[in-house]
Amino acid sequence: MLRATRWASVLRQPIRPRLGRFHPGARSLTGGSRIDQKQAAAEATPASAPSSEEKARRRVHFPGARNSYFTDQMDFISGLDEAIPTYQVMDNEGKVADPSQDPNLSQETAVKIYRNMVTLNLMDVIMYEAQRQGRISFYMTTYGEESTVGSAEALDPQDVIFGQYREAGVLLHRGYTLRDFMAQCYSNRHDSGKGRQMPVHYGSRELNFHTISSPLATQIPQAAGAAYALKRAGRPHCVMCYFGDGAASEGDFHAALNFAATLKCPVIFFCRNNGFAISTPVEEQYKGDGIGYGVHSIRVDGNDVWAVYNATKQARELATQQHVPVLIEAMTYRVGHHSTSDDSSAYRSKKEVEDWKHKDNPITRLRKYLEARDWWNEQQEADLRTEMRKQLLAAFAAAEKEKKPALSELFTDVYDKSPQHLQEQERELHELIKRYPEYYPVDDLADK
Amino acid sequence: MASATSGGNPDGIKPGVAHSQLLCTTTEAALKNPELAAVASSDTKRMNLYQAVNEALATALSTDETAVVFGEDVAFGGVFRCTMGLAQQFGKSRVFNTPLCEQGIAGFGIGMAAEGHTAIAEIQFADYIFPAFDQLVNEAAKYRYRSGGQFDCGGLTVRTPCSAVGHGGHYHSQTPEAYFAHTPGLKVVMPRSPIQAKGLLLASIRDRNPVIFLEPKVLYRAAVEQVPVDDYELPLEKAEILKEGKDVTLVGWGSQIYALENAIQIAEKRMPGISCELIDLRSILPWDVDTVAASVHKTGRLVVAHEAPQTGGFAAEIISKVTERCFLRMESPPQRVCGWDTPFPLVFERFYMPTMIRCYEGIRRAMEY
């Protein structure tokens, strides 16, 4: 965070220890005793805050911190004194406290966002079950983090997206079809990734969504580089890069924010701080106040789709017009298991999860907002759920029946052109299949 | 060259790149190369290897508006002078310093390339490429394959100085080609001379696959040739036969070529009548099996030499493949002459290196088996 500013505010303002909000990523805020001491010190010696003239006079000459000034006060800065507030537009009841913050999207757009959030939720239910039944090998749900859809609405379709793996809502909102999702999870012949990657590793050239990969945080410096390319090409677009609070501990996060800031890249870093990296709670992930790095930063209520939308929209303005990186930390809670290979009750209580589901949920919140405007009702809800379930199950059944990609796709795309040794290895595999057909069934593969 | 050590040299060989017959010191010699037929009427200019790299970068920048050059300290010209004058000529937005972070450099380059631009990244020493290993192996190499061909980072080239320099110790001497040779999706290239550096680097930059371009830093100033000034490329995935022979095939790459050249001089003096065939592999991945196998098919004997440690070194791959292809033609066990399986030592460098005398010993063993 902007340390100098925050430090100055500590000196100037009386500080009241605040209780952490309920978002787990930002709950351990202030230790009382240390704050009280500092508060007492600040109040007792108000003159310790130097005047701007004095600051200018005593400015340091070291090149590494040109805006610093000398002080004779020895104070260690912890960065933990005052937590970053969490921006919220509508509360748990879907009520907007400050009407000036309501994005006032059209009924059509608001309902489209809602429909996509619900569809995402329904797809998760079906695909999660499909994995439990062994029909697909792996899956990761987005439960509780559906409001990323709001960030997608705030972007231009030509903005370039890099994700981690829990951003299916963004793809859905951009136009990735149910058939596309199912094809990828089933690795069938319609998968644009040609069946090579694990389920939920989506990607779409057409939708400007770079293909997901498993290594965490690798996409973050890549997003900075892509943003630099957009800027050089003179395109009025930005890059949006999503990642989780755990991924932000990787060295690549450090690399990316530093590169984006020094090279002035139009990129939005969108951290989904959902409280857990698999089993590791945020208390074991970082000691600071959430995710931050000396760039334009904001913390938003990640269960509030309008807060997410507004912040993303404003971030986009900053990124594309000032060519600066912007960091959004969306506070939320991972309601689902980490993945189908994880049983989260091994490290957190079922009650905690249930409480989250019912007390604070991005979908219910938006529904209440829509209902308050008479834009949505029980009947529409029932119709949507019936209709989407039907469509999802149809897409699911169709995907399951499709053949897998042709065997030749095992060897293509390693390079732009297949080198000689790969051609030889492909021939070797074909001879093997001819010799041992019973060990290499090819019936479920497409011919080409 | 570490092979150019003082002390006994009873064979009277003038060792090292300074006395090499392989360098093209005249325009005529340079343009005689059939691979340079397309620029046969070009002027040539006397250049060392860093100047040839610089010329290749300038050519790439002037022929491709999307091309950028970046890394640690490249803006002022680079710690080895390879990027001299480029920032002034092409502007700070195209030739720029990055923060000191190798994983960031690689990731940033991948991102640019994935948006269709040409990213020429520099890692200051090959010894420091390992922080970027994840980005290069898991990301760059797999970008095209994992997306089903929807995205690629083929515009990425990572240049990095490598190999021994006489006093580089552990972290200014390494030659990490074998680590990357185990990674489908990458290309790995190493030139032996200025002409080669310019042509292979331009080919690497324009190739639509991510390329690791290893530059033997001991040659930056020591290797001097007449280099065509026109724009030209040399083929990737293609070895070059530098000297034809009938009795034993010698394979090397980078600065090791000059130790092998000297070893041949010793061998042909001490074993009158033998003739050695010398092959510069140039591309480590994918490598030119056909040229090497055809040579061994003719000679029946193989010696592979590289500076990197023996175990898991790329010589093992070459010997294995050639043995599969030429088993019935082999008249002696293939020999590998490599660095020992230790970290690269400072004071013991001359004892560590696969010098001309160790390469000669490899030839002798192959011949006298």
Side-chain angles (χ1 to χ4, degrees):
Chain A
M1 302 302 121
L2 299 158
R3 289 267 157 107
T5 315
R6 298 190 58 218
W7 179 234
S9 73
V10 167
L11 289 173
R12 266 185 251 110
Q13 295 162 7
I15 294 158
R16 258 178 226 100
R18 290 164 54 181
L19 289 175
R21 290 178 58 84
F22 40 74
H23 291 301
R27 73 182 149 204
S28 62
L29 295 183
T30 54
S33 63
R34 195 179 172 287
I35 290 299
D36 291 345
Q37 281 167 20
K38 188 165 285 297
Q39 185 181 354
E43 283 168 358
T45 54
S48 68
S51 67
S52 52
E53 298 82 46
E54 195 191 349
K55 282 184 196 172
R57 184 168 54 77
R58 305 196 64 201
R59 182 142 304 168
V60 305
H61 46 264
F62 303 114
R66 291 193 193 279
N67 290 325
S68 178
Y69 55 90
F70 290 108
T71 173
D72 51 15
Q73 302 293 308
M74 186 179 69
D75 272 312
F76 293 91
I77 296 168
S78 76
L80 292 168
D81 299 326
E82 190 189 12
I84 302 160
T86 302
Y87 172 64
Q88 187 182 62
V89 173
M90 65 178 159
D91 65 14
N92 286 2
E93 298 307 309
K95 284 209 187 70
V96 176
D98 177 355
S100 75
Q101 295 301 304
D102 190 333
N104 286 314
L105 296 185
S106 69
Q107 174 177 356
E108 190 194 359
T109 307
V111 168
K112 183 185 167 201
I113 292 172
Y114 180 73
R115 289 178 60 99
N116 282 337
M117 287 164 74
V118 172
T119 302
L120 181 63
N121 183 266
L122 292 170
M123 181 171 76
D124 279 350
V125 172
I126 288 171
M127 297 310 273
Y128 185 85
E129 280 309 311
Q131 193 283 333
R132 296 280 96 163
Q133 294 165 18
R135 298 162 82 165
I136 58 173
S137 59
F138 180 79
Y139 195 69
M140 299 178 102
T141 65
T142 310
Y143 297 144
E145 301 178 45
E146 294 88 348
S147 65
T148 47
V149 172
S151 64
E153 174 62 30
L155 297 171
D156 183 279
Q158 295 301 309
D159 291 339
V160 173
I161 295 179
F162 287 78
Q164 179 166 303
Y165 47 58
R166 223 181 288 284
E167 296 88 11
V170 176
L171 268 169
L172 182 66
H173 201 65
R174 278 208 163 185
Y176 208 62
T177 66
L178 298 184
R179 184 177 109 139
D180 295 334
F181 283 110
M182 305 290 179
Q184 200 283 331
C185 290
Y186 268 105
S187 308
N188 73 27
R189 70 192 180 94
H190 297 302
D191 172 17
S192 53
K194 303 183 184 171
R196 292 166 181 157
Q197 286 213 89
M198 285 173 75
V200 312
H201 289 54
Y202 311 115
S204 169
R205 172 91 256 180
E206 202 189 343
L207 301 176
N208 289 305
F209 192 104
H210 282 262
T211 304
I212 301 291
S213 74
S214 305
L216 280 182
T218 47
Q219 79 279 16
I220 317 178
Q222 292 169 11
Y228 193 84
L230 295 189
K231 186 172 82 164
R232 279 217 67 227
R235 283 172 54 184
H237 295 110
C238 70
V239 173
M240 177 67 143
C241 178
Y242 297 89
F243 52 92
D245 52 279
S249 293
E250 292 282 2
D252 275 328
F253 173 75
H254 169 81
L257 271 76
N258 205 17
F259 274 56
T262 55
L263 298 169
K264 302 186 176 63
C265 305
V267 52
I268 304 171
F269 298 113
F270 191 106
C271 175
R272 297 175 289 94
N273 188 337
N274 66 15
F276 290 92
I278 305 189
S279 74
T280 307
V282 290
E283 289 79 3
E284 293 165 26
Q285 195 66 246
Y286 53 78
K287 229 21 218 173
D289 177 30
I291 307 302
Y293 234 90
V295 298
H296 284 79
S297 305
I298 189 169
R299 172 176 285 166
V300 303
D301 182 340
N303 288 352
D304 172 0
V305 69
W306 298 147
V308 168
Y309 171 84
N310 282 350
T312 307
K313 198 155 176 68
Q314 187 59 41
R316 192 179 180 279
E317 296 272 296
L318 272 167
T320 55
Q321 288 174 17
Q322 294 185 25
H323 292 148
V324 291
V326 185
L327 174 64
I328 299 172
E329 184 184 27
M331 311 309 291
T332 179
Y333 187 89
R334 196 194 74 216
V335 172
H337 301 303
H338 163 69
S339 73
T340 48
S341 309
D342 171 53
D343 173 9
S344 67
S345 66
Y347 49 83
R348 61 182 188 182
S349 75
K350 283 188 171 144
K351 183 177 178 308
E352 179 181 311
V353 177
E354 282 308 307
D355 285 354
W356 272 98
K357 253 193 218 166
H358 298 121
K359 254 199 317 212
D360 189 13
N361 175 310
I363 296 181
T364 345
R365 236 199 260 196
L366 179 56
R367 182 176 169 184
K368 285 174 178 166
Y369 174 98
L370 296 177
E371 285 172 348
R373 278 152 191 77
D374 278 332
W375 289 356
W376 198 252
N377 57 41
E378 278 294 336
Q379 189 55 49
Q380 283 167 305
E381 179 75 15
D383 292 348
L384 170 66
R385 287 180 178 270
T386 314
E387 173 57 24
M388 284 321 302
R389 227 175 249 125
K390 212 163 81 190
Q391 282 188 30
L392 281 158
L393 287 170
F396 176 84
E400 199 166 30
K401 279 197 215 88
E402 282 292 347
K403 292 210 165 203
K404 305 300 180 198
L407 186 61
S408 56
E409 302 291 11
L410 163 56
F411 293 97
T412 57
D413 298 326
V414 179
Y415 296 92
D416 58 340
K417 301 185 200 90
S418 190
Q420 187 185 316
H421 69 283
L422 269 184
Q423 294 175 29
E424 285 168 13
Q425 290 171 21
E426 186 171 2
R427 280 197 292 275
E428 191 179 334
L429 176 61
H430 282 293
E431 280 159 27
L432 261 173
I433 293 171
K434 225 183 277 168
R435 188 177 294 267
Y436 303 103
E438 65 279 24
Y439 286 95
Y440 287 107
V442 292
D443 302 342
D444 64 337
L445 301 181
D447 294 334
K448 172 55 212 164
Chain B
M1 291 294 297
S3 56
T5 52
S6 59
N9 183 359
D11 298 292
I13 304 296
K14 288 183 173 170
V17 66
H19 305 283
S20 175
Q21 303 299 305
L22 299 171
L23 294 167
C24 300
T25 50
T26 65
T27 301
E28 196 191 5
L31 297 178
K32 208 171 64 189
N33 183 348
E35 288 182 339
L36 297 179
V39 288
S41 56
S42 171
D43 288 337
T44 65
K45 201 173 144 193
R46 193 171 182 272
M47 282 182 213
N48 62 27
L49 196 139
Y50 85 66
Q51 290 163 331
V53 167
N54 183 272
E55 176 134 323
L57 295 174
T59 305
L61 287 163
S62 58
T63 54
D64 175 359
E65 188 47 42
T66 72
V68 297
V69 168
F70 57 91
E72 295 158 14
D73 307 301
V74 302
F76 88 110
V79 297
F80 289 109
R81 314 275 76 193
C82 291
T83 52
M84 283 273 279
L86 298 179
Q88 290 85 336
Q89 193 181 343
F90 296 98
K92 284 181 183 166
S93 69
R94 298 189 66 193
V95 180
F96 53 90
N97 290 337
T98 65
L100 203 167
C101 179
E102 286 77 14
Q103 65 194 107
I105 292 169
F108 187 88
I110 292 167
M112 284 203 78
E115 280 299 306
H117 289 230
T118 298
I120 309 166
E122 176 178 309
I123 300 292
Q124 203 160 72
F125 287 86
D127 312 67
Y128 305 127
I129 205 168
F130 301 110
F133 202 66
D134 182 43
Q135 284 285 355
L136 295 171
V137 170
N138 276 330
E139 296 291 317
K142 298 169 177 56
Y143 217 96
R144 188 193 312 267
Y145 190 76
R146 75 182 185 206
S147 73
Q150 294 185 95
F151 294 96
D152 68 77
C153 60
L156 175 69
T157 303
V158 179
R159 296 176 39 242
T160 184
C162 68
S163 303
V165 69
H167 51 268
H170 293 355
Y171 307 113
H172 300 82
S173 307
Q174 294 181 58
T175 319
E177 73 273 31
Y179 292 100
F180 295 105
H182 197 57
T183 306
L186 292 180
K187 291 192 177 184
V188 183
V189 177
M190 199 192 298
R192 70 169 183 280
S193 75
I195 292 175
Q196 295 292 312
K198 181 178 170 184
L200 291 171
L201 181 52
L202 275 168
S204 298
I205 291 167
R206 291 164 179 168
D207 188 86
R208 290 299 92 190
N209 299 283
V211 180
I212 312 284
F213 192 81
L214 296 156
E215 299 167 1
K217 59 180 144 345
V218 74
L219 303 179
Y220 273 143
R221 288 167 190 276
V224 179
E225 282 184 318
Q226 287 290 336
V227 180
V229 296
D230 286 358
D231 186 343
Y232 69 93
E233 294 174 26
L234 289 169
L236 304 186
E237 305 174 45
K238 193 94 194 75
E240 184 182 8
I241 298 171
L242 296 179
K243 177 186 176 307
E244 299 212 7
K246 58 179 177 34
D247 296 312
V248 56
T249 300
L250 312 184
V251 179
W253 49 91
S255 47
Q256 189 61 32
I257 289 294
Y258 303 102
L260 286 168
E261 180 191 15
N262 295 144
I264 291 171
Q265 291 165 353
I266 300 179
E268 294 184 349
K269 190 174 169 195
R270 291 196 180 189
M271 294 186 273
I274 81 155
S275 81
C276 305
E277 182 145 304
L278 177 59
I279 297 178
D280 179 359
L281 199 61
R282 299 196 291 192
S283 281
I284 313 298
L285 183 73
W287 66 286
D288 185 355
V289 180
D290 287 349
T291 297
V292 178
S295 174
V296 176
H297 194 77
K298 175 176 70 177
T299 63
R301 298 180 183 87
L302 174 64
V303 178
V304 186
H306 60 61
E307 269 182 39
Q310 173 174 286
T311 302
F314 198 64
E317 179 59 37
I318 296 173
I319 288 171
S320 166
K321 192 76 199 172
V322 171
T323 306
E324 284 171 22
R325 285 271 196 104
C326 306
F327 184 69
L328 291 176
R329 296 285 307 157
M330 305 285 274
E331 296 187 28
S332 64
Q335 302 291 319
R336 49 181 165 163
V337 183
C338 311
W340 308 121
D341 287 339
T342 67
F344 198 104
L346 181 69
V347 74
F348 303 118
E349 178 165 319
R350 75 158 96 160
F351 301 99
Y352 169 91
M353 289 286 283
T355 52
M356 63 176 179
I357 198 64
R358 283 190 57 208
C359 293
Y360 165 70
E361 174 64 7
I363 298 171
R364 191 190 64 76
R365 285 190 195 174
M367 292 307 301
E368 295 180 1
Y369 179 74

